[in-house]
Each structure stands twice: as C-alpha cells, then as structure tokens.
Amino acid sequence: MPAWRRIADGIEIAVRVTPRASRDAFLAGTEEHFAARLAAPPVEGAANAALAPLVAKAFGVARRNVTLIAGDTARLKRLRVEGDPRALEEVAQRLYGGAHDG
C-alpha cells in the first residue's frame, strides 16, 4: 500500500515512527510510509500522543481530525486525516516533493 490513499472524508496515511529522537519531525519516508521522529518515548502511549499533533500540524488540520486507526503498539501506524481529500493529497505530495501513486 502507498504512503497515503484518498478516502471519502480525507486520506489515510502510513507512518513509521522513531521514538526518542532528538526532536519532533514529520517527513517523507519510503513509497510505503511517511517518517515521524518523535522526542517522546514509546511508553504508555506517549509516542502516539505526540504523533497526532505532529501530523495535524503537517497537514494543516485540527488535532481532532487525526485518528490512529492501526498500529497502536507498532512502529508502523495507520492514521486517518479528515478534511478535504484533494487539499490533503496536495500536502502529502508536497512533503514527498513529487507525484505518488496514492
């Protein structure tokens, strides 16, 4: 599956998380996922709690529009980002710097 795909009310994205990084960052990863570096540790949901606001900021949506849908305890996670699908896809493409099969 590609790093993102369009859904009726937004996009779903795949994100590979690296906890305990020196600072928070949300970047292009591989064709299969975005990359998120989080300063938070992977303890008691701290990394998941830090991921949603980081993704919301990157896509320009409210925190409540980002939902973790899979991968609660895994490094590879799937998130739903609600909003205008076309605008969200444009942001995703900008993050990747080009076209994508999403």
Side-chain angles (χ1 to χ4, degrees):
M1 181 168 195
W4 75 84
R5 69 182 183 101
R6 181 185 282 216
I7 58 174
D9 59 349
I11 63 174
E12 284 185 4
I13 62 173
V15 181
R16 184 176 189 279
V17 173
T18 302
R20 292 193 176 120
S22 59
R23 63 183 177 90
D24 290 348
F26 187 76
L27 322 150
T30 68
E31 290 182 9
E32 290 84 32
H33 59 74
F34 287 93
R37 290 171 176 52
L38 302 170
V43 178
E44 297 179 7
N48 288 342
L51 179 60
L54 183 66
V55 170
K57 182 177 178 183
F59 282 93
V61 299
R63 161 57 189 102
R64 69 180 175 274
N65 291 30
V66 178
T67 308
L68 178 67
I69 56 175
D72 187 45
T73 59
R75 280 186 185 253
L76 192 58
K77 302 179 183 299
R78 296 217 44 89
L79 292 98
R80 175 179 293 121
V81 182
E82 294 179 13
D84 176 24
R86 186 170 303 148
L88 294 172
E89 283 184 317
E90 287 175 12
V91 172
Q93 287 176 349
R94 251 192 326 268
L95 285 167
Y96 270 85
H100 183 72
D101 293 332

